[in-house]
């Protein structure tokens, strides 16, 4: 709504919102950085002791401020980057993205953490893929990779919470058994690393991040600088306290991080597209952060904290500026961008500033963080060779970073100006980038002001106190030497950029992550379809025999080995056997007829036999329902058969023999199971309860009806909903097929129709009255909504049969209205109980004495009316839709029809 | 015993039709199978007491279990809905049912 008024300027409002949130967090800073913890909790899933538990400590505070601060800048940037028009979707997703990141860093419950983690994955997927069709594969890669990591995280967190017996994150991490070196915790540790590696684009999962460049620039800026990829870093820092002493943890992280940092930096140096360069640069910087977390000392974690901030600032700035340059120049190739300083001085200056921060030049914040990083590696614990390797690795990565940072810088400043027509963008467009770039400079110069915040984060992450004094001039120390070495190597790489570039362009990765990903995905998809093909054959005969044979085999195995159940007491009566005999004859007819009509009639007769069976078994409600149901089935089948050939196709002998053998086997197995498994116990306690309470509690007599509309009314509500859904399916199918003229040579003659029509006139009112009577007396005798509805449907069926087959609907199309009003009435009856402060669907009773008649009214009767309407609606849908839209068979099919 | 035989007959017929070509026969097989399933449910309540569960119309002691009956009542209506749906599928496409046997 806001968006409709403001259009793209919504970004400003959202930016202010993010800033306000950030200010609220900043207000807590003085307390939080000194170790205070702010917590809030709402119960969520008490059965597994999970709650919406939030926790703000030093580490969360740092990340929250970065997320909100960069979020505000990016939102403000959106307001000018986006064209005029509607961007509701982008703004909504970006806001959701930021908030889910915030939830992620505040979550103090493993389930909440996982949910937030997946939310960021989903948001980034939608943001990457949302721009244009070309982005879809990249978005899919990002989704698959990070969702795979999400699954690893879930597994790891579940292992840990089962192991420690709590879902509370802070409790798990402070529990000494969480890192006791057992197989469970080691597995969990590896899973957490895997999750972080996918999210933070570490080797070999790095490929999704450069691909994600297809997203709009503000999305990239946010994703790279503050959201998404920083989630992995946060996770590692959060677990650092618990796992920091584990050599597997530190070794893996340092090696993984440094290799990623160097490979990422080499790949970044290779790029000419500015956006791709920045993407690989992000991978490299994240590698450094991972390695620092692996070192795990308080100094290292402080360095990581500073670098998170520094990276957020310069990366957000660079992305925003690249977006501006792309916007104004129409190119992102670094070789074409020369001499920008003469035409776009402000843009060039800002680009240069953040490029220098990236390269680690004093007095920018990037330099401060790099100094801290060096100090952490110099002071890292471990054997001498490991420390030396770490120092070498980090210097190499930093030197490469220096080289590509300078390429950006010189791209903006150096060279001759070729494009004189370029103009500086509007100040509003530049402002967010300017703020971030300036912050990088100011915070670099006044680095000491950051110390409390960084210290707070480092103390939380490392678990013990530390003194952090961020400063520009560290004095004569090993770090200074490392810095000088970095500058020297970096400058050499930069100056010799032509040979370096030629060398790099020849470099080819042995396996491209992207290709490997696509191949494994294709393999998974085709394996899936091969497995599905085993059961999806389009015809039941292709796959049904397997489970059916298995059923027979199980029954046979049981008969051979475990048949120690004594036969139940005989409960058959003489009349049963007559019915069984009739059933056998009708079923035999049903399977052997080749005439469709004959088969339908035989099935209908077997259904009537079943109805007699119910009557014989003491279930008059069922008998009536079954009989009506059979009438309906036959009517519907006859209507359907009009559109179809009269006879089934021939069936080969082999098929008859095979399916007959299987059918007999399954039949015998089912019969034996029923014989063995029923009739052993007395009437159930539930039955006794129901029989005893029907009268006093519902005022009714018919226990079956009382169960349907009273004791188990919620089940019935579910069932009529299913019924309504089936009817909607019929309606939808009917809508898809075209009307068709009836078959030539229709046997219905005018005379029979006349008789039927006369019958209809007499019977329809009778049917209607009877159906309502049955509905009303449901509580007292056989009847109720189901039966009443079927009887009313019988009236419709009669009307339908009496009508000449013109293809016109027999009735006005009321079925949708019947279905919806039925559901509304049923739900309304249930809700009326709420109004009387009773549970949903609890019937309310009232007795009425009208004209000497005692009527006991109950909302369960209203509920039954809903059932009645739905059943009627289903029947109406079946009759109307099936009869009205008959399939348009080609002329040929009808012509060859034998006129028997 | 009689219930078991009745179920066996219905299941055998239903399975046979289910394994045939053409959705109309498959649908008829489905009807037989759902009747069989309903008989199993009723039998699960026991076949030794057979007085209709209408309170006051007979000795409560001999009344049949009303719970399976309530299950079956809704099951009958739902299988009606599904049967109608299957029938409408049977003629919505071109397959063995809409093609005539040469």
């Amino acid at each position: 709504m806001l968006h409709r008024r403001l259009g793209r300027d919504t970004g400003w409002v959202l930016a202010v919102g993010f800033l306000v949130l950030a200010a609220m967090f900043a207000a807590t800073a003085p307390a939080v950085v000194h170790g205070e913890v702010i917590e809030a909790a709402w119960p969520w899933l008490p059965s597994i002791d999970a709650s919406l538990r939030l926790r703000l400590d030093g580490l969360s505070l740092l990340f929250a401020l970065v997320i909100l601060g960069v979020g505000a800048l990016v939102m403000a940037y959106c307001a000018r980057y986006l064209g005029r028009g509607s961007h509701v979707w982008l703004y909504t997703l970006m806001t959701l993205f930021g908030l889910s990141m915030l939830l992620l860093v505040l979550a103090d419950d493993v389930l909440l953490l996982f949910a937030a983690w997946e939310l960021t994955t989903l948001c980034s997927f939608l943001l990457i893929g949302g721009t244009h069709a070309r982005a879809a594969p990249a978005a899919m890669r990002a989704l698959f990779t990070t969702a795979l990591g999400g699954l690893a995280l879930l597994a790891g967190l579940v292992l840990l919470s089962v192991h420690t017996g709590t879902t509370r994150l802070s409790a798990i991490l402070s529990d000494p058994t969480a890192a006791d070196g057992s197989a469970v915790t080691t597995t969990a540790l590896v899973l957490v690393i895997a999750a972080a590696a996918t999210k933070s684009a570490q080797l070999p999962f790095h490929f999704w991040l450069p691909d994600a460049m297809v997203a709009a620039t503000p999305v990239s800026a946010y994703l790279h600088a503050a959201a998404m990829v920083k989630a992995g870093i946060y996770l590692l820092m959060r677990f650092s306290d618990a796992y920091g002493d584990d050599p597997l943890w530190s070794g893996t992280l340092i090696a993984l991080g440094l290799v990623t940092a160097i490979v990422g930096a080499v790949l970044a140096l290779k790029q000419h597209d500015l956006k791709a360069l920045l993407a690989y640069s992000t991978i490299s910087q994240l590698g450094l952060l991972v390695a620092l977390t692996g070192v795990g000392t308080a100094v290292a974690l402080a360095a990581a904290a500073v670098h998170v901030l520094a990276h957020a600032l310069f990366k957000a700035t660079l992305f925003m500026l690249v977006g501006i340059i792309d916007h104004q120049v129409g190119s992102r190739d670094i070789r074409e961008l020369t001499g920008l300083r003469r035409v776009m001085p402000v843009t060039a200056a800002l680009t240069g500033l953040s490029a220098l921060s990236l390269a680690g030049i004093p007095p920018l914040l990037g330099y401060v963080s790099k100094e801290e990083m060096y100090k952490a590696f110099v002071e890292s614990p471990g054997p001498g060779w490991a420390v030396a390797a770490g120092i070498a690795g980090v210097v190499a990565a930093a030197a490469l970073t220096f080289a590509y940072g300078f390429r950006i810088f010189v791209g903006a400043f150096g060279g001759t100006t070729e494009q004189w027509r370029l103009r500086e963008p509007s100040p509003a467009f530049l402002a967010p980038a300017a703020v971030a770039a300036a912050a990088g400079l100011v915070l670099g110069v006044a680095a000491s002001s950051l110390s409390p915040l960084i210290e707070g984060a480092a103390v939380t992450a490392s678990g013990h106190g530390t003194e952090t004094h961020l400063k520009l001039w560290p004095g004569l120390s090993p770090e200074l030497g490392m810095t000088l070495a970095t500058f020297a190597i970096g400058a050499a790489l930069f100056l010799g950029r032509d040979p370096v570039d030629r060398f790099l362009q020849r470099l080819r990765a042995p396996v491209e992550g992207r290709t490997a990903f696509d191949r494994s995905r294709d393999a998974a998809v085709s394996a899936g379809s091969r497995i599905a093909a085993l059961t999806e054959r389009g015809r039941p005969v292709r796959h049904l025999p397997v489970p059916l044979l298995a059923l027979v085999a199980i029954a046979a195995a049981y008969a051979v080995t475990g048949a120690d159940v004594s036969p139940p007491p005989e409960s058959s009566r003489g009349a049963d056997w007559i019915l069984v005999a009739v059933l056998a004859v009708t079923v035999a007819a049903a399977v052997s007829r080749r005439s469709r009509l004959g088969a339908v009639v035989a099935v209908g007769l077997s259904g009537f036999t079943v109805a007699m069976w119910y009557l014989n078994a003491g279930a008059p409600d069922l008998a009536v329902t079954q009989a009506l149901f059979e009438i309906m089935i036959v009517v519907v089948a006859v209507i359907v058969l009009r559109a179809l050939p009269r006879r089934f196709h021939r069936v080969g002998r082999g098929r008859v023999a095979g399916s007959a053998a299987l059918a007999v086997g399954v039949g015998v197995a089912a019969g034996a199971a029923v014989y063995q498994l029923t009739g052993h116990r007395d009437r159930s306690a539930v039955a006794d309860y129901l029989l005893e309470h029907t009268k006093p509690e519902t005022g009714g007599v018919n226990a079956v009806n009382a169960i349907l509309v009273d004791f188990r009314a919620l089940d019935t509500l579910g069932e009529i909903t299913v019924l309504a859904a089936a009817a909607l399916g019929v309606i939808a199918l009917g809508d898809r097929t075209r009307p068709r003229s009836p078959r030539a040579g229709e046997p219905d003659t005018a005379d029979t129709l006349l008789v039927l029509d006369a019958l209809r006139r007499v019977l329809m009112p009778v049917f209607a009255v009877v159906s309502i009577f049955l509905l009303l007396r449901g509580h007292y005798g056989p009847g109720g909504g189901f039966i009443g509805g079927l009887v009313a449907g019988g009236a419709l069926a009669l009307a339908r049969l009496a009508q000449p087959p013109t293809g016109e609907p027999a009735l006005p199309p009321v079925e949708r209205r019947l279905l919806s009003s039925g559901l509304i009435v049923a739900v309304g009856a249930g809700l009326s109980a709420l109004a009387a402060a009773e549970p949903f669907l609890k019937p309310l009773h009232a007795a009425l004495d009208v004209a000497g008649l005692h009527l006991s009214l109950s909302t369960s009767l209203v509920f039954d009316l809903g059932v009645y309407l739905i059943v009627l609606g289903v029947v109406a849908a079946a009759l109307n839709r099936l009869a009205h839209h008959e399939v348009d068979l080609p002329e040929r099919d009808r012509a060859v029809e034998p006129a028997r | 015993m009689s219930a078991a035989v009745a179920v066996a007959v219905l299941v055998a017929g239903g399975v046979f039709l289910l394994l045939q070509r053409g959705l109309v026969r498959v649908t008829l097989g489905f009807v037989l199978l759902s009747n069989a399933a309903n008989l199993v449910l009723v039998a699960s309540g026991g076949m030794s007491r057979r007085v209709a569960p209408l309170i006051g119309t007979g000795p409560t002691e001999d009344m049949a279990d009303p719970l399976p009956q309530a299950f079956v009542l809704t099951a009958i209506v739902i299988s009606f809905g599904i049967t109608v749906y299957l029938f409408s599928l049977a003629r919505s496409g071109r397959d063995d049912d809409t093609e005539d046997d040469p």
Side-chain angles (χ1 to χ4, degrees), chain A residues 92-476:
Chain A
T92 313
L93 278 177
M94 286 288 277
T95 313
L96 196 62
F97 195 22
L99 293 182
S100 35
M101 267 309 285
L102 193 62
L103 183 65
L104 175 73
V105 299
L106 292 178
D108 191 31
D109 187 282
V110 289
L111 291 177
L112 192 59
L113 175 73
F114 172 72
W117 183 277
E118 291 295 281
L119 267 179
T120 60
T121 297
L122 281 180
C123 288
S124 64
F125 166 69
L126 292 171
L127 282 167
I128 295 168
T131 38
H132 40 77
R134 268 185 304 124
M140 284 308 271
R141 277 193 282 269
L143 177 70
F144 272 118
T145 315
T146 51
L148 211 60
L151 288 181
L153 178 70
L154 179 65
L157 292 177
V158 166
L159 280 181
L160 280 179
S161 61
V162 169
H163 190 65
T164 57
T166 173
T167 62
R168 188 168 173 174
L169 186 61
S170 51
I172 291 177
L173 293 177
S174 56
D175 191 328
T177 58
D180 57 5
S182 64
V184 174
T185 54
T186 309
T187 314
L189 180 155
V190 172
L191 287 170
V192 166
I193 294 180
T198 54
K199 199 82 163 179
S200 293
Q202 298 298 291
L203 283 171
F205 305 112
H206 63 288
F207 55 86
W208 71 265
L209 193 56
D211 277 8
M213 285 294 92
V214 294
T217 300
V219 175
S220 302
Y222 202 28
L223 193 137
H224 281 251
M228 192 72 180
V229 294
K230 290 285 167 71
I233 305 299
Y234 167 77
L235 186 73
L236 293 177
M237 288 178 79
R238 177 56 74 196
F239 276 74
S240 171
D241 182 15
Y243 286 144
D245 299 330
D246 193 319
L248 178 65
W249 171 269
S250 44
T252 310
L253 287 190
I254 293 175
L256 179 71
L258 285 180
V259 170
T260 306
I262 294 172
V263 172
V266 168
L267 289 172
L269 197 55
K270 185 180 160 179
Q271 305 304 319
H272 294 136
D273 180 347
L274 264 176
K275 229 176 154 184
L277 189 159
L278 289 179
Y280 283 106
S281 148
T282 303
I283 294 175
S284 163
Q285 300 294 315
L286 291 169
L288 289 175
L289 286 171
V290 169
L292 277 174
T293 315
V295 172
T297 56
V299 179
L301 289 167
V306 187
H307 201 60
V308 164
L309 184 60
H311 178 247
L313 288 176
F314 66 66
K315 198 46 70 69
T317 321
L318 283 172
F319 266 110
M320 290 193 270
L321 290 169
V322 167
I324 290 173
I325 292 171
D326 191 15
H327 206 267
Q328 307 292 110
V329 182
S331 167
R332 299 195 307 237
D333 193 318
I334 200 166
R335 289 165 301 188
E336 291 173 20
L337 301 172
T338 50
L340 276 185
R341 74 192 143 97
R342 289 189 197 85
V343 282
M344 299 166 75
V346 181
T347 309
L350 294 174
T351 311
L353 209 54
S354 22
L356 291 183
S357 186
L358 169 70
I361 305 294
L364 295 149
L365 191 58
Y367 167 76
V368 178
S369 68
K370 195 172 53 126
E371 287 305 298
E372 285 296 308
M373 209 184 296
Y374 285 170
K375 194 167 138 205
F377 274 98
V378 170
E379 294 174 6
S380 67
W385 63 267
V387 174
I391 290 174
V394 75
V395 168
L400 287 161
T401 308
F402 181 93
Y404 70 72
F406 251 79
R407 277 178 74 163
I408 302 175
F409 179 78
V410 171
F413 277 88
T416 52
T417 306
E418 284 168 9
Q419 295 166 305
W420 285 103
R421 284 170 297 118
L422 293 175
R423 286 287 166 274
E424 197 77 76
S426 70
F429 198 0
L430 270 174
V435 169
L441 177 62
V442 172
L443 291 177
V445 175
S448 54
S449 64
L450 274 177
S451 297
L453 178 65
I454 298 307
E455 202 179 304
V459 168
T460 323
S462 68
H464 31 77
T466 173
E467 292 277 301
T468 308
H469 299 292
L470 299 178
K471 48 195 176 297
L472 272 178
W473 175 246
L476 289 172

Side-chain angles (χ1 to χ4, degrees), chain A residues 379-710:
Chain A
E379 294 174 6
S380 67
W385 63 267
V387 174
I391 290 174
V394 75
V395 168
L400 287 161
T401 308
F402 181 93
Y404 70 72
F406 251 79
R407 277 178 74 163
I408 302 175
F409 179 78
V410 171
F413 277 88
T416 52
T417 306
E418 284 168 9
Q419 295 166 305
W420 285 103
R421 284 170 297 118
L422 293 175
R423 286 287 166 274
E424 197 77 76
S426 70
F429 198 0
L430 270 174
V435 169
L441 177 62
V442 172
L443 291 177
V445 175
S448 54
S449 64
L450 274 177
S451 297
L453 178 65
I454 298 307
E455 202 179 304
V459 168
T460 323
S462 68
H464 31 77
T466 173
E467 292 277 301
T468 308
H469 299 292
L470 299 178
K471 48 195 176 297
L472 272 178
W473 175 246
L476 289 172
S477 61
E479 296 96 272
L480 188 65
M482 288 164 71
T483 303
L484 291 177
T486 308
F487 288 174
I489 303 170
L493 280 172
F494 172 71
L495 291 175
R497 58 183 178 273
D498 290 336
V500 168
D501 206 30
R502 277 197 297 278
F503 172 72
L504 286 175
Q505 296 307 326
R506 279 201 301 274
L507 270 186
R508 284 278 176 273
V511 187
E512 285 242 358
R514 191 182 310 170
T515 333
F517 172 87
D518 285 346
R519 266 193 213 135
S520 48
R521 192 188 56 184
D522 291 348
V525 168
S526 62
S529 49
R530 269 199 297 279
I531 291 169
L534 294 177
T535 54
E536 269 179 28
R537 299 280 182 77
R539 285 171 202 286
V541 68
R542 300 263 175 82
H543 61 259
L544 261 189
V546 179
L548 289 178
L549 276 173
L551 197 72
V552 175
I554 292 170
Y558 180 76
V560 171
T561 60
D564 55 349
V565 184
S566 58
E570 188 52 58
S571 57
S572 305
R573 300 185 186 173
D576 296 358
W577 295 108
I578 302 172
L579 291 176
V580 169
V582 177
L583 203 57
V585 171
T586 51
V587 169
V591 298
S592 58
R593 291 291 94 188
R594 260 201 79 208
S595 142
R596 285 178 197 259
L597 195 60
V600 166
V601 169
V603 168
L605 285 176
S606 79
F608 278 114
T609 318
V610 170
M612 296 307 292
W613 179 276
Y614 290 143
L615 200 60
N616 180 38
D621 279 277
L622 297 191
V624 176
T625 314
Q626 173 75 24
L628 292 166
F629 164 72
E630 286 309 325
I631 295 174
M632 289 299 157
I633 292 269
V634 171
V635 170
V636 168
V638 166
I639 291 171
V640 167
L641 292 187
R642 275 187 192 168
L644 299 175
R646 286 191 193 178
R647 296 176 77 81
F648 295 117
H649 31 68
R650 282 192 196 82
V651 182
R653 254 166 218 276
R655 183 181 193 131
V656 171
S659 40
L662 194 53
V664 169
V666 177
V668 168
V674 170
Y675 182 63
Q676 284 286 352
L677 301 178
T678 63
H680 285 283
R681 59 170 172 76
D682 209 354
R683 200 170 58 196
S684 64
V686 181
D688 290 339
Y689 171 88
L690 291 170
L691 288 172
E692 200 179 311
H693 288 80
T694 294
K695 184 95 182 181
E697 285 195 9
T698 69
V701 169
N702 186 349
V704 176
N705 184 261
I707 295 171
L708 287 176
V709 299
D710 197 326

Side-chain angles (χ1 to χ4, degrees), chain A residues 773-794:
Chain A
F773 168 72
L774 284 170
L775 166 69
L776 289 178
R777 78 157 199 169
H779 253 50
Y780 308 101
F786 284 111
I787 294 174
L790 279 175
V791 170

